[in-house]
Every structure is written in structure tokens, then in C-alpha cells.
Amino acid sequence: KFGTITIGVAYGLKDFFVETLIKFAEQFPQIKIKVIYEPSHSLYEKLQQAQVDFVLALHETEIVPYFIYKNLFSCPMVLAALAGTEVSCKTSISLEEICKLPLVIATMGYDMTHTVHRAFSAKGLSPKFTIEVNDIPTAIRLVNSGNWYSIFIKTSVLGTTLASVAIRDDGLMRYAKIISLKGTYETESVKEFKKMLTLSAKTLKLS
């Protein structure tokens, strides 16, 4: 296996992806790997133009006929809080309770923000996001200060010092998928990387 693989990855799946990236790079050091981190909608455009071999994204229900979708895992969105605070000790929390908290949210093209706003709107709620940033690591650092809370996909919180509290709302489930362009030739390297991602998804622990 030789050549180059170009992969587009949604921000919320960076931590999940990098584990497979390490394993693949160690196993196939002769293959060059290019990774692009962008919001999902930007990655879809690159995929449509064949600028990436495939995309790892958090996908909603819309199905585009020229894409092929492979489900990896489902993952809930959670309230992120500094560990040790009163809120972090809760086993679950409602959207109504979240509305009363000082909130920070990652915006600017992050697909998950649309899901969050849709969930609140469905219940007629208008949370006050006092800080909006277009960078998940910055939002995580703000929550880590203990002054704010945020809503992330659970994979974004894994590996951090933050606590994740389950949100009592069925509309806050996200779906990680490998998305490819129909009719394009797949190298053995691309097939192997997809296979490794699928295996990683099967062993992923979200608790």
C-alpha cells in the first residue's frame, strides 16, 4: 500500500478519529495521510468535488443521492460541566434546567449548534448563550474555568477533565458516519482506513 489518503473530519469527531489515525500511520508508514478538520457542510462540498477520499462526519437525516453512507455509532449530546461542581454531580438534566445556566456554545458552522437550537425551540425555550466561539477547544477551556457550561457531543468531552451530564431529550442524538462519493475508485489504503474506523467504532466506550 502506497500513495496518499485525504480525509475530511468533523470537529466533534477529532478525538475518536485520531486514535485510528495513529494506528493506521504506525501500521502503514509508507502512506501519506492528509487530514482536514472543518464543519460538516464544508466537508460535504469537498467530497462532492472529490477533494477528499471520504468524510467522517456527524450526519443528520438528509440523504444525498450521490453519497454513500456507512453508520459507525450514535452518540448523545451532553451538558459539559467542570468536575466537582453541583451540576456535574447530576445524573441527568432537563433543557429547562439548562436554560438557567450561564452557557457558552461553539458556533460558526458547527452542525451540532443547529441540533441544539432546534431542541430548545421545540420546547419554546430560549437559552442565553453568553459566549459564542467558533472553536471547540476554546469552549472546553471556558467550561473548565467553572464559570460556564456548554453542550457538546459526548465524543468531544471524552479525554478531557470535564464531566458530562446526560440531557433528557431524545432530539439530541448525533450519528457518526463515513460518507463517500458514489462512483469513485477506492484504493486499498482507503478501504483499510475505513475498516479500521469501523473496528474502532465497535470498541468505542461512551461511558
Side-chain angles (χ1 to χ4, degrees):
K1 296 182 177 68
F2 296 94
T4 301
I5 302 176
T6 305
I7 307 168
V9 182
Y11 291 111
L13 294 170
K14 286 170 73 173
D15 290 332
F16 164 74
F17 171 78
V18 77
E19 296 298 324
T20 302
L21 175 62
I22 292 169
K23 292 176 185 175
F24 185 91
E26 288 176 344
Q27 193 169 339
F28 304 104
Q30 71 276 24
I31 298 173
K32 183 177 180 180
I33 307 162
K34 293 182 180 179
V35 181
I36 301 171
Y37 291 117
E38 285 188 7
S40 295
H41 70 272
S42 299
L43 295 175
Y44 298 151
E45 291 175 6
K46 283 182 167 56
L47 181 60
Q48 188 175 353
Q49 296 165 9
Q51 295 177 10
V52 293
D53 289 300
F54 67 90
V55 164
L56 177 63
L58 295 162
H59 188 258
E60 295 294 333
T61 56
E62 182 184 1
I63 301 297
V64 178
Y66 43 80
F67 288 162
I68 299 170
Y69 302 87
K70 178 177 177 58
N71 294 322
L72 287 180
F73 60 89
S74 58
C75 185
M77 301 197 72
V78 296
L79 180 76
L82 179 65
T85 57
E86 184 180 349
V87 172
S88 73
C89 295
K90 290 176 175 286
T91 54
S92 65
I93 192 168
S94 67
L95 290 176
E96 288 80 3
E97 291 174 288
I98 293 174
C99 272
K100 299 173 185 176
L101 300 173
L103 299 169
V104 57
I105 193 165
T107 56
M108 298 289 289
Y110 287 93
D111 276 6
M112 67 180 187
T113 60
H114 304 309
T115 305
V116 171
H117 287 303
R118 192 163 58 238
F120 280 112
S121 297
K123 296 200 171 187
L125 300 172
S126 299
K128 289 184 172 62
F129 293 103
T130 53
I131 301 178
E132 295 186 4
V133 294
N134 65 340
D135 182 65
I136 289 177
T138 299
I140 287 174
R141 286 190 65 182
L142 288 167
V143 175
N144 222 14
S145 72
N147 297 318
W148 294 277
Y149 302 86
S150 191
I151 297 174
F152 298 118
I153 182 170
K154 193 164 184 178
T155 50
S156 296
V157 182
L158 296 176
T160 72
T161 56
L162 300 180
S164 60
V165 183
I167 300 173
R168 297 192 293 273
D169 189 284
D170 294 335
L172 287 171
M173 186 66 70
R174 304 304 307 280
Y175 301 90
K177 299 183 181 184
I178 294 173
I179 306 174
S180 310
L181 186 63
K182 278 185 180 177
T184 54
Y185 172 75
E186 276 194 352
T187 64
E188 290 300 314
S189 303
V190 169
K191 291 177 182 177
E192 184 64 30
F193 206 115
K194 287 183 175 182
K195 180 181 175 182
M196 292 177 72
L197 282 170
T198 303
L199 290 172
S200 294
K202 290 178 180 178
T203 58
L204 179 64
K205 296 179 180 178
L206 293 173
S207 57

